[in-house]
Amino acid sequence: MKNPAVVAGVGMVPFAKPGASAPYYDMGAEAARRALADAGLDYDKVQQAYVGYVYGDSTCGQRALYPVGMTGIPVVNVNNNCSTGSTALFLARQAVASGAADCVIALGFEQMKPGALGSYFDDRPTPFEAFDQVCNELVGHPDTPMAIRYFGGAGMAHMDKYGTRAETFAKIRAKASRHAVNNPVALFRKEVTVEDVMASPVLIGPMTRLMACPPTCGAAAAIVCSEAFARQHGLDARVTIVAQAMTTDTPSTFEARNMMQLVGSDMARAAANQVYEAAGIGPGDVDVVELHDCFATNELLTYEALGLAPEGGGEKMVEDGDNTYGGRVVTNPSGGLLSKGHPLGATGLAQCTELVQQLRGQAEARQVDGARVALQHNLGLGGACVVTMYQAS
C-alpha cells in the first residue's frame, strides 16, 4: 500500500431483534459517535464517509450522519448484500491508502424485518437468476427460502464429498454460543449444546434452525486514517490494515455445478490468497478470525477456503478444538453471526470492531491471549467477498 491504513477508532451498538431496535438513523449515528469517541476525534476532522446498508432508500447514509455533523464531506452509500459493511471498509481503506483522504469513516447499519431474506423488487429480474438455476438443479426445494437452500445445499455437498457429519455443524453452533456468553453486544448470549442444536426444527438437509443466523438490527463503524494523520492528532495507531482484497464471482461459481462454489468458496479462497501474498503472512500465523458464519455450514466451508484447514479438513479442525480458545486459531470470539446476529450492512464493521479490540487487548473475557494478527472474512452472495488482515504494532 502507498499509505498503510490505521484503524484508529471502532464502535457499535448492541444488536437487537427486528422491532426492538431504534430506527436505522439513530443506530447509525450512535455507532459513528462511539467510533469517534474511541478514536478521540471530532467529526469535523473526517474527510469522507462510506456508509453501507442493504434495506433502505438512497441517501440513508446522509440521514444517519447528519445528526453527527453536517460538514459537507462526500458521503457514499454502499450496498453489496451481506458484505456491505466490509465493502464500506474496503473503500475507506482504499481512499486512505491511495492518498485521496487522510481520515475516513466507514459506517454500516441495518433495520431489518423478521423472517427469511427475500427480494424487495418483484417488478424486475432478480440478480440471483443464474444462482437459482444452479441451486434448483442441485438442491431443489424451490419453496424454501433462498439462503437456506444455498447454504444448506453447500453443507450437503461437503457431507457428500468428505463424509462430514451433521453433528459437526452443530458443534460449530455450540462453540459460537459459548463465545457469545462473554459478548455484551451479542443478540443471543445463552449457551446451547450440540443436542440443543440438533433438536431444533430442521430447515433443510442437515441444517436446523439453530444453525442459521437470525435477522437482526444494528450498526457499527470504524475510523480509518493514515499513519501521519494518527501521529499528528495523537490517535491510537496500534492496529493497521496490512492487506485487504475484494473479489467477485468467476465462471467457476456456476460452471462447477457445486453448491460450495455457488456460495462463494472460490471468491473467499482467491481473496484470502491475495491477502496472504500481499501481507507476507500465512494462515498459520493468524491468531484470531472473524468469519462469515451466516450458517454453521458456511463456517466450516470457510475454514478451508481461508486455508485454516486443508480441503476436506474442516471437520477435523472442529473435532480437534482448533477453532476455539486453547486451539490453533480462535474463530468468531464475538459469537459470530450465529450468536451476535447479522444486520447485513453492519456485520463487516462489527467484525472489524471485534478484531481491533482483540489486537488492542481490550476484549475482556473474550480476549485471545497474545493476539497480534487478525483475519476478517465477509461474504455477500451475488457476489462479493472481502478479506482483511490486521496487525498490531
Side-chain angles (χ1 to χ4, degrees), residues 171-186 188-192 287-291 293 299 303 321-327 329-340 354 358 363-368:
K171 289 180 180 180
I172 288 172
R173 176 64 182 89
K175 179 266 298 179
S177 75
R178 292 195 301 273
H179 291 183
V181 166
N182 295 315
N183 188 357
V185 295
F188 296 132
R189 299 184 65 191
K190 179 182 177 182
E191 184 172 344
V192 298
D287 301 306
V288 57
V289 177
E290 283 283 312
L291 59 81
D293 61 328
E299 175 158 340
Y303 295 158
D322 277 336
N323 60 348
T324 188
Y325 297 88
V329 56
V330 180
T331 59
N332 292 333
S334 68
L337 285 60
L338 288 167
S339 290
K340 186 172 78 260
E354 175 69 24
Q358 289 284 349
E364 299 180 340
R366 304 185 315 282
Q367 185 63 48
V368 176

Side-chain angles (χ1 to χ4, degrees), residues 115-117 144-149 151-152 169-170 172-174 176-177 187-188 192 196-198 200-204 206-216 292-299 335-342:
L117 301 181
T144 300
M146 178 188 74
I148 294 172
R149 287 198 303 147
F151 289 100
F169 302 126
I172 288 172
R173 176 64 182 89
S177 75
L187 177 59
F188 296 132
V192 298
D196 293 331
V197 179
M198 294 298 293
S200 64
V202 173
L203 300 177
I204 188 173
M207 189 182 295
T208 68
R209 184 175 294 168
L210 284 178
M211 295 182 196
C213 70
T216 318
H292 197 89
D293 61 328
C294 52
F295 294 87
T297 52
N298 199 53
E299 175 158 340
L337 285 60
L338 288 167
S339 290
K340 186 172 78 260
H342 183 24

